[in-house]
Every structure is written in C-alpha cells, then in structure tokens.
Amino acid sequence: MFPGEAEVVVIGGGVIGSSTAYFLARAGKKVVLVEKGYKGGEASGANAAFVWSITRKPGIDIRLAMHSINIHRQLQKELDRDFEYVYNGGLLVIEDEEQLPFVEAHVKARAEDGYPLEMIDAKQVFELEPLLSEEKIIGAVFSPIDGTTNPIFLVISLNLQAQKLGAKIFHHTEAREIEVMSGKIKGVITDKGTIKTNTVVNAAGCWGCFIGEMVGLKVPITPFQLAMLVTEQLPPCVSHPIMGASYMVEEDTGKEGGLGCGLIISQQAAGNLLIGASWRDAGYDKRINQEEIELMARVNVEAMPSLKDVRVIRSYANFFPHTDDDLPILGKVDGVEGFIMACGHNGHGIGLGPGSGKLIQELICEGITSIPLDELSLSRFN
Amino acid sequence: MKESEFAIIGGGPGGIAAAIVAAKAGVKVTLLDENERPGGQIYRQFEKGYKVTDSKVLGRDYEKGLELLRQFSSLSDKIRYLNNATVWGIFKSRTLAFARKGTSSSLSFKNLLVATGAYDRPVPLPGWTLPGVFTAGGAQRLVKTERVLPGENILLAGTGPLQLVLAHQILNAGGKIEAILESGNISKNWLRILMGIWGNWDYLKEGWRYLRHIQKAGVPLLRNHIILEVHGDGQVEEAVIAKVDKSWRPKPDTERTVKVDTVCLGYGLVSSTELALLAECEHKYELCLGGYIPVRSESMETTVPGIYAVGDGAGVAGSKVAIEEGRIAGVSIARSLGYISDADASTRIRIFQKHLNKFNRLRRVLDEMSVPGQGLYELAKDDTVLCRCEEITLKEIKKALADGTIQAKDLKRMTRIGMGACEGRMCGPALIEIMRYQPNASPEGPGYLLPRPSIKPIALGVIAASKQEE
C-alpha cells in the first residue's frame, strides 16, 4: 500500500538515496524512498566500481572519501547480502614523464594536508600487477585502502536491509511535484499518490536539478557521460583497481567538451574485467559510440598488452552529475525548510555515496554532522 | 568515410534475395556475412573439398537454395560480399562496426537491411546442460556440415515441421532415432492444415515426403508428448517423457523413461534481434513468430527510416517467406534510391506480396499448432540453470521476481542473468516467457534484455586495431 505520510521522503534510488534510506531506517525514522526507474538503474549501476581515494584532493574532498571508505567497511559488516567489496589497494599508474609533475604536486599537497600517499617505482608496480606493460608504465601512486565493489549489489543490499528495518521503497514511482507552504516542505506528489512529509532528500543524481526546480531552486548539475567495457570472465589476473594518471592531468587542464579516455582496469568478483573509461559531453544520452569503444580498447591494450586476446562482451555508458568544482552538493538549503540536497557526486557516487548517506542521516536526526557540510552547500554557487 | 547506399547484414535467403533484386536494379550493395560462404543456416555450403554426391541427404529446399546462390555469385561485380564479417554494433550515426580478419572496421550506410536469421528456441528443463543434449539446429548443422551424427540412439523432442526435416536428415545419414515427440496437437488440426495450405502443394508434398520416410523407417512419432527431464552421469543416459494436455502440461500417470544417449530439442526458432534492437527499431511481442520482433511497414522498413528487416530475424517464418520479404525490401530500397520507378516497384512488390500471402496462410496454421504451450516453461525446476554463462538458477530468478522485479532488464541487474558471454541469447527467450506468466506481470510485458555493443564477443585487440572502411 502506498504510504500517505512519512518522516522523510528520499527521492532517488541510487547509491546515495539507498544509503540515506538505510541509515535513516536504522536510526528509526519512517522513511519512504521513491525512484522513477529501478534500484541502481542509472549512474549507480554503470560506473567503474571503484571505492577510491588516491585522486581525491586535499581538503573536504579527501575527508569525504576517507569517511566514506570507513562507511563501506561498516556496511560490509552490517548488510546481510554480500556486495563483493574488496580492498587490496589501488594504483594510479604514471604512463609518461609529462604526467609526473602533476602527480608529484598532488602527492605533496596531500602530504601537507595530512593524507600522505606512497610513490612506487616501475619494478614495484609489476610486482603488484604483472600484466601491465613494462614499456608503458614508469611508476605509480599506491594507496593500500582503495578497492572495488559490485555497485549494483551494493545498492540492492542497501535496499533490502533498509526494507528489513522498515523503510518503504517504491520503484517505477516518479516524484512529480513537491508541496511547499510558507517556505516549508509539506509533501511529495508522485504518480502513485501523495506523501505528506516535512523532509525531502534530493538524491536524484543527474535529475537533482529537476527536483530542485520543483521547490524553486537552481541546482547547477549537468550530465557528463562516462563509458566502460566489460570483458568475458577470466581467472583472477588483476588484483587492484588501476587508473591512469592522465586523469590527474585532465582534471587540471579541464576535461570538458570532446571525447577523452584514460586508463581504467579492475576485475570483478565474477571474473569480468571492467575497463575504460571514455568520457564526453553527451547531455542525457546514454548511448555509446564506436569511437569511444575503440579508444578504450586502444588505451587499455597499450597499457596491458595481454588484454588484446580478451574478448569484450558488453559496454555501458552513463552520465554522471557534474558540478563546477567537482564536489557534491550536500545539506540544507536557504529558503526551503526541510529540503536537503544529496547529489552531484561527479562520478564518485559509489565511493562517496555511503558516506554521504550517513552524513545526511546525521543532519536529519541530530542536526550536526561528523564532517561539516558548509563547504558543500548549494549556496556556494551563488 | 564513403557511405554505402545499401548495406545488408546476413547472407541467408532473405539477405541474398534482397541483394540480388537490388543489384539487378543497379544498387551498389555491400553484404556482410558472418559465415565463410553465402547461404545462411538453411543453405549452408560445405567446405571446399567436400562434394555432395547425394543431395537427398540435404532435402529439396537445399537444391532450391543452390539456384539462389548461383544468381548471387553471378552478380559478384555488383555486390561487394564480405565474408567472415561479424557485425558487433550499430550506432546512432548510421554506422555499423564489424570485425573481420583480425581488425575492426566501420561502415556508414544510407539504407540497412537486417537479415540476421533465427536460432533454436532454448528450453530450460532439468538436465538440459548435460553433454548429449543438442538443439535441433545444432544437430542439423552436425549432420549437414560436419557429416557427423550427434549420437547413436537419438530422441527428438519438440514441435513443428523442422523436427521432421531433422529426422529425415538423420535417417538419410544412417542414424537411429528412438522416437519423435511432438508436443503440439497436430492430428486434430489436419483439416485446417489442408485448408491453410491450399495452393501450396510444394510445401505439402515436401512435408509428406519427410513423414513417409519417417514412417517407413519405423520411427514412432508420438503426438501430444513432451520431454520432462534428461538424466545421466556426465552424459545423457535416459529421458523422462510424458503425454501432455492442450497447454503442454504433463498428464498424470503417463510418465515413462526411455534409454537414449542423445536428445535433440526442437521447439521452433526465436529471432536474432540484437542488431535491430541496438538500432533502436521498435519491437513488438509475437510468441509464435519468435518473441520480440521488429515492427515493420509493408515495404519491410522498421520504425527507423532506412533500416529494413526481413526473414527469420524479423519473425520466424522460414526461408520461402524470407526470400519474398528480401525481394520486397530490395525493390523498396532500389525505389527509394531512384533506381527504379514507383510504378515498376509497385508492380513487382505486388507479385512478391502475393507469394508471401500464400506462404503466410500456411504459416498461420502451422504456428497455431506449434506455438509453445505454457507447460513448456514450467519444466525447469528450482535448481535448473536458466543462464548458463552466469549459472543462474530458476530459484534465484523466482526470488528476484518475488521482490517485485517486473522488467527483464531490471532482473538482469538484480541477478546477473544475461550478463555472460552469450549476452542473453540462451536465457533471454525463456526468461521472457517465465516472466510473462507471473501473477504480478506487467501488462506491457517484461520487455527484453537490452543488447549493448559488442553484441558478440570481440577481442580487445581486434577493436583496438580498428580502421575506417575504405
């Protein structure tokens, strides 16, 4: 039966909305989650599957990442259904001398902020990942805490556990309008019925801007496409999430606009390699194009030559909610009491999502969060 | 990149027939065929070195196919034929990607014909993964191409006339058939068949010839029978069979066990629609035509302008229908490119359409008899593997369904069904049937497992070695 009221309505059934619903239910709140599609059906179900900290910047960025990694480990103990989270450490591989200054500057800045990283040489890289090309890789940054997960299973596990704790979850249920009276949230009108509530969490990812519009807010989120390839299942052969340092360079030189691609390789528990990734500005279009697939194949085969005989069985593309400063928008907003932002994770939703869910629960239940959210408020864009 | 005015995917009867009429009209045709030589599954040609001395082994349809192939090869200056070409993607820029000779190429097209054919309807039942269980098509390929019998004592189980063709071929090759189980209700419809095939004496004679051959060889044809389970220790040793009612559900106390070492399952065919789906052609559900098939106009054009679909890949109806549909598509494209006049095209399409109507009358009757009964998809037990690649059992599917998953693509996310190397070809059709019969099934149907490039496994090195098509 569709609920007529709730203490909190979460809009969005991806990893952020599902984590929020789980932690709220665990804290005893009457929470209803509405999702226009299916659990993990958008960016949460189609990404690089990294739980990652190496490239996170000093300041609030790395603090969110570290906090969320701890939450992932907590979830691994708390959730009944396994989600294949493993952490053997991650590698940011340096492919040429040009990348080196960017990487060194990042490592230095992180150390100064109190979050040091370890640089390793080419020999150590091959000991960790023998399939990487000796000609291509000159070194790497290693982080022992990084790992990979199964994003879809993570979202499913969060959903199931939240439901066990009393959360009501409705898929194929679209939020159409949000009722606001005298600057306060009063309810959410969906295509299945109206839910009276005083608190709404906007965890709608790329659609977060449309949910914001419903209460008169301008949410500066734009979609940004990222594509990946899936290979046939192989015996264990890649034991760390691997990212190319071109991402560091790209981030510093701006990656907007045309087609780009950087090395990404990891292996899922089932044995499939997830390799990528290419990106482009494609609006709300999930379709992958041929150039993207070819580019990913070239970049990855060059870095890991034995991949040439491995067969691709599928590809996927999705768009991530992008914000100008690459940071999520979390917390309360000015002018609409009871409306809480939890979107804009810039392609790091799987890594940061569980942490964000926990922080939003703290905000709702206790009014104070274990990491201050001031820097992440929507008003920073004004 | 040069644009092809007419690209065809598939070298079976539909693709070849389209290529012939279009090329004769002056259209420059590029035909991409996954096989070594044209002919598709039905007119599969032998490797060089083999010579067919007795074409009786192959049946009369094959002899007719040879004539079509002769015409095709006589047009080799007008048709660019690319063999061993696996099309692995169609993209919104009206290009397709194909792998051939260790590299991947891109071809842009103005008009495209998808003539990708069909494959055996996979039917999950206890023991279907045992060595010794074949699909009828797989067994047929062994007999026809490899000249090898699938086993020593063979049980054929399924429905429809293709079973008779296979039996005829096995007997001709010297094989022993324990029995043929026909789950459909043939005998009661005998009169309607005759009415349906009025004017189709060719078809009738052919069917009759096969049936006579089977009777003469003393092979029992058991109507209203089904195979329930296959048993064996690492290899088929016996099969459990039973009588069925109209819905193909076993009748009580009719179960018995037969000792066989080989089982061929022939429950008709399902369309290969991955490429049409990838091209975003609208699809509709037609159980007896092979599941979700592309919606088409009278000229065989799909809902995507310039993309056409013919033959079994657009609704399973056999090679004769494929040929006429191919001709209609070929003429329509020649007209749209301005090679032939509207009047000329209309005259010719009318003739092809008349042939088509004649075949379709027969098909309708056969379809009604052989449309899978609901009982077919109740054979799998909780521990029966539905998805072979990911080893997903029916129990896991039931659990996800009980959680309220009502769309096939969502079920794929929940359980990993269809995420393996076969990309859902083996589990997809059964999954859709199982979902359709759920009490909470969505009235719009479960939809399909969405294909994504590469739709066939392609080595990364092949894709990395991509080049633009000249």
Side-chain angles (χ1 to χ4, degrees):
Chain A
M1 210 183 65
F2 200 73
E5 57 180 352
E7 285 181 272
V8 184
V9 174
V10 176
I11 300 174
V15 66
I16 293 127
S18 300
S19 301
T20 307
Y22 165 69
F23 284 114
L24 285 170
R26 206 187 61 157
K29 287 278 176 195
K30 284 199 182 72
V31 56
V32 174
L33 185 154
V34 292
E35 158 60 49
K36 66 170 177 46
Y38 206 64
K39 39 188 140 177
E42 300 292 347
S44 294
N47 50 67
F50 280 24
V51 179
W52 180 258
S53 69
I54 299 181
T55 50
R56 309 274 39 95
K57 289 177 187 133
I60 186 78
D61 197 12
I62 184 61
R63 280 161 183 77
L64 286 176
M66 299 301 281
H67 168 257
S68 194
I69 285 174
N70 286 330
I71 303 292
H72 274 271
R73 295 185 185 183
Q74 181 190 330
L75 290 175
Q76 198 175 27
K77 296 192 194 98
E78 284 178 12
L79 304 186
D80 291 338
R81 188 178 152 155
D82 179 53
F83 47 93
E84 300 174 352
Y85 174 38
V86 277
Y87 41 97
N88 292 326
L91 282 169
L92 180 79
V93 295
I94 305 159
E95 296 153 290
D96 56 49
E97 297 289 340
E98 277 173 34
Q99 292 172 352
L100 206 53
F102 291 94
V103 174
E104 283 171 345
H106 176 68
V107 171
K108 184 163 170 278
R110 280 278 298 265
E112 285 166 5
D113 193 35
Y115 292 92
L117 288 161
E118 186 189 347
M119 295 273 277
I120 59 174
D121 62 24
K123 190 166 158 284
Q124 290 168 298
V125 176
F126 305 126
E127 277 166 19
L128 291 171
E129 288 296 348
L131 294 183
L132 283 168
S133 160
E134 288 196 47
E135 284 152 38
K136 188 70 186 149
I137 309 298
I138 61 171
V141 181
F142 181 72
S143 160
I145 58 169
D146 291 5
T148 60
T149 189
N150 182 324
I152 297 176
F153 284 5
L154 171 62
V155 175
I156 296 172
S157 308
L158 284 163
N159 268 264
L160 291 176
Q161 207 80 19
Q163 281 171 314
K164 275 185 200 167
L165 294 169
K168 303 268 184 285
I169 297 179
F170 294 88
H171 297 113
H172 304 295
T173 304
E174 192 175 339
R176 294 270 167 86
E177 277 176 59
I178 296 171
E179 291 178 325
V180 183
M181 263 172 65
S182 325
K184 290 178 182 171
I185 294 287
K186 289 293 166 197
V188 177
I189 302 172
T190 77
D191 54 354
K192 301 275 167 66
T194 301
I195 312 162
K196 282 187 195 158
T197 187
N198 295 323
T199 309
V200 166
V201 177
N202 176 8
C206 273
W207 290 265
C209 45
F210 304 121
I211 302 300
E213 266 172 36
M214 292 177 188
V215 294
L217 290 174
K218 196 180 172 300
V219 176
I221 282 177
T222 50
F224 197 76
Q225 196 193 77
L226 196 115
M228 299 279 296
L229 302 176
V230 184
T231 74
E232 61 190 315
Q233 295 177 351
L234 301 171
C237 56
V238 175
S239 41
H240 308 81
I242 301 168
M243 184 188 279
S246 61
Y247 286 92
M248 298 297 310
V249 181
E250 298 292 345
E251 276 192 28
D252 280 19
T253 53
K255 65 182 170 190
E256 259 74 14
L259 180 63
C261 181
L263 176 72
I264 292 261
I265 306 175
S266 71
Q267 187 165 24
Q268 288 271 287
N272 309 86
L273 300 182
L274 301 184
I275 69 175
S278 70
W279 58 80
R280 67 193 176 101
D281 196 348
Y284 283 86
D285 188 349
K286 273 188 216 186
R287 289 173 295 186
I288 194 165
N289 65 30
Q290 193 176 345
E291 293 74 41
E292 285 179 273
I293 296 178
E294 290 170 355
L295 195 57
M296 285 188 276
R298 272 198 289 276
V299 166
N300 287 279
V301 168
E302 207 174 299
M304 199 175 265
S306 51
L307 284 180
K308 72 180 196 318
D309 300 318
V310 175
R311 297 180 306 166
V312 176
I313 61 168
R314 193 166 63 245
S315 59
Y316 54 83
N318 226 312
F319 36 82
F320 294 109
H322 175 67
T323 60
D324 278 348
D325 57 6
D326 285 326
L327 290 170
I329 307 169
L330 296 178
K332 295 179 179 174
V333 299
D334 298 333
V336 190
E337 198 181 320
F339 190 78
I340 294 168
M341 294 293 300
C343 50
H345 286 69
N346 285 281
H348 311 302
I350 290 303
L352 298 180
S356 294
K358 182 74 177 71
L359 293 170
I360 297 302
Q361 174 260 315
E362 290 170 359
L363 181 67
I364 291 171
C365 298
E366 292 146 34
I368 184 161
T369 52
S370 43
I371 294 178
L373 300 179
D374 312 329
E375 285 178 71
L376 303 169
S377 76
L378 179 63
S379 59
R380 74 182 188 268
F381 295 105
N382 292 341
Chain B
M1 192 185 342
K2 217 179 91 186
E3 186 185 58
S4 166
E5 53 182 13
F6 184 22
I8 300 175
I9 306 172
I16 289 176
I20 291 170
V21 295
K24 279 183 175 167
V27 180
K28 287 173 275 305
V29 180
T30 305
L31 191 145
L32 298 138
D33 189 357
E34 196 165 19
N35 292 307
E36 171 80 22
R37 284 191 275 171
Q41 298 299 333
I42 182 139
Y43 306 142
R44 181 170 291 284
Q45 297 185 81
F46 298 101
E47 303 302 317
K48 284 186 180 118
Y50 280 110
K51 251 218 165 93
V52 185
T53 49
D54 180 10
S55 61
K56 246 168 54 186
V57 183
L58 301 162
R60 213 186 285 181
D61 252 356
Y62 188 82
E63 293 163 31
K64 282 191 183 147
L66 289 180
E67 174 50 34
L68 202 64
L69 291 173
R70 271 193 287 274
Q71 278 191 48
F72 182 76
S73 58
S74 74
L75 290 162
S76 59
D77 54 328
K78 298 192 177 72
I79 302 169
R80 183 161 165 247
Y81 176 70
L82 298 172
N83 67 346
N84 299 320
T86 302
V87 176
W88 58 264
I90 295 180
F91 300 92
K92 65 175 181 208
S93 48
R94 292 183 92 80
T95 57
L96 57 84
F98 65 96
R100 186 171 188 254
K101 293 182 180 167
T103 63
S104 175
S105 306
S106 175
L107 177 73
S108 84
F109 55 83
K110 191 166 186 144
N111 293 284
L112 176 69
L113 177 66
V114 181
T116 41
Y119 60 101
D120 290 80
R121 177 186 293 279
V123 176
L125 52 92
W128 77 308
T129 53
L130 273 175
V133 179
F134 290 80
T135 61
Q140 197 172 18
R141 189 169 168 161
L142 268 184
V143 177
K144 269 167 75 177
T145 317
E146 318 287 335
R147 328 297 290 287
V148 171
L149 284 166
E152 288 182 2
N153 195 22
I154 306 165
L155 177 71
L156 267 55
T159 189
L162 280 178
Q163 285 216 102
L164 304 183
V165 180
L166 173 61
H168 169 77
Q169 288 166 342
I170 290 174
L171 292 173
N172 268 337
K176 180 177 177 298
I177 299 173
E178 179 71 23
I180 303 169
L181 311 184
E182 165 60 58
S183 301
N185 195 358
I186 282 195
S187 51
K188 282 184 192 157
N189 286 308
W190 194 237
L191 193 67
R192 281 171 60 200
I193 301 180
L194 278 177
M195 282 162 63
I197 52 186
W198 191 253
N200 277 292
W201 288 106
D202 265 10
Y203 246 145
L204 179 63
K205 276 191 290 190
E206 214 157 277
W208 185 247
R209 208 160 59 90
Y210 294 152
L211 208 55
R212 288 269 299 168
H213 186 190
I214 290 157
Q215 281 168 346
K216 252 167 73 183
V219 176
L221 175 60
L222 306 176
R223 295 188 172 92
N224 304 308
H225 272 69
I226 203 164
I227 181 166
L228 297 176
E229 294 182 14
V230 184
H231 299 156
D233 184 9
Q235 157 69 32
V236 175
E237 288 166 13
E238 56 180 43
V240 182
I241 67 172
K243 276 192 177 175
V244 286
D245 62 17
K246 277 200 304 248
S247 316
W248 295 22
R249 293 196 170 97
K251 288 185 175 171
D253 306 320
T254 61
E255 276 185 31
R256 65 189 169 98
T257 301
V258 291
K259 294 262 176 229
V260 287
D261 65 8
T262 305
V263 171
C264 299
L265 301 174
Y267 289 97
L269 304 173
V270 289
S271 300
S272 292
T273 52
E274 301 87 20
L275 286 170
L277 285 170
L278 204 54
E280 299 182 340
C281 305
E282 202 182 299
H283 281 59
K284 63 176 176 194
Y285 184 83
E286 296 275 359
L287 176 58
C288 48
L289 293 178
Y292 281 97
I293 56 168
V295 174
R296 296 177 295 167
S297 71
E298 280 202 338
S299 59
M300 306 297 151
E301 194 170 12
T302 66
T303 53
V304 179
I307 298 186
Y308 295 69
V310 300
D312 283 352
V316 176
S319 61
K320 292 183 182 183
V321 166
I323 290 169
E324 301 306 328
E325 288 187 351
R327 286 171 174 157
I328 291 172
V331 168
S332 303
I333 287 164
R335 173 178 55 189
S336 79
L337 290 167
Y339 285 98
I340 53 175
S341 69
D342 281 0
D344 189 12
S346 302
T347 314
R348 297 177 64 185
I349 287 175
R350 254 200 307 280
I351 297 167
F352 301 143
Q353 192 66 51
K354 220 167 113 186
H355 295 163
L356 204 53
N357 294 343
K358 201 168 74 175
F359 299 135
N360 279 337
R361 272 206 301 281
L362 168 64
R363 281 299 315 182
R364 219 164 293 139
V365 185
L366 285 175
D367 285 343
E368 265 179 49
M369 287 188 306
S370 57
V371 61
Q374 198 175 335
L376 186 63
Y377 291 102
E378 295 165 359
L379 296 175
K381 296 195 170 146
D382 274 1
D383 61 351
T384 305
V385 168
L386 243 55
C387 169
R388 290 165 171 239
C389 305
E390 297 281 337
E391 293 179 0
I392 311 292
T393 61
L394 178 61
K395 193 178 170 186
E396 291 166 75
I397 299 301
K398 280 184 177 169
K399 197 165 167 283
L401 290 168
D403 284 343
T405 314
I406 53 169
Q407 292 193 348
K409 65 178 166 66
D410 294 338
L411 207 89
K412 178 177 176 179
R413 287 175 178 280
M414 294 303 105
T415 63
R416 294 183 65 89
I417 189 168
M419 285 199 182
C422 91
E423 295 173 59
R425 283 177 186 79
M426 287 299 277
C427 55
L431 177 69
I432 288 164
E433 294 312 314
I434 289 167
M435 292 186 80
R436 265 178 8 102
Y437 293 123
Q438 288 302 307
N440 64 340
S442 147
E444 296 96 60
Y448 30 77
L449 301 173
L450 284 170
R452 299 187 199 282
S454 62
I455 60 141
K456 298 232 167 122
I458 305 288
L460 272 165
V462 171
I463 297 176
S466 58
K467 56 174 189 189
Q468 291 228 320
E469 183 61 14
E470 65 283 354

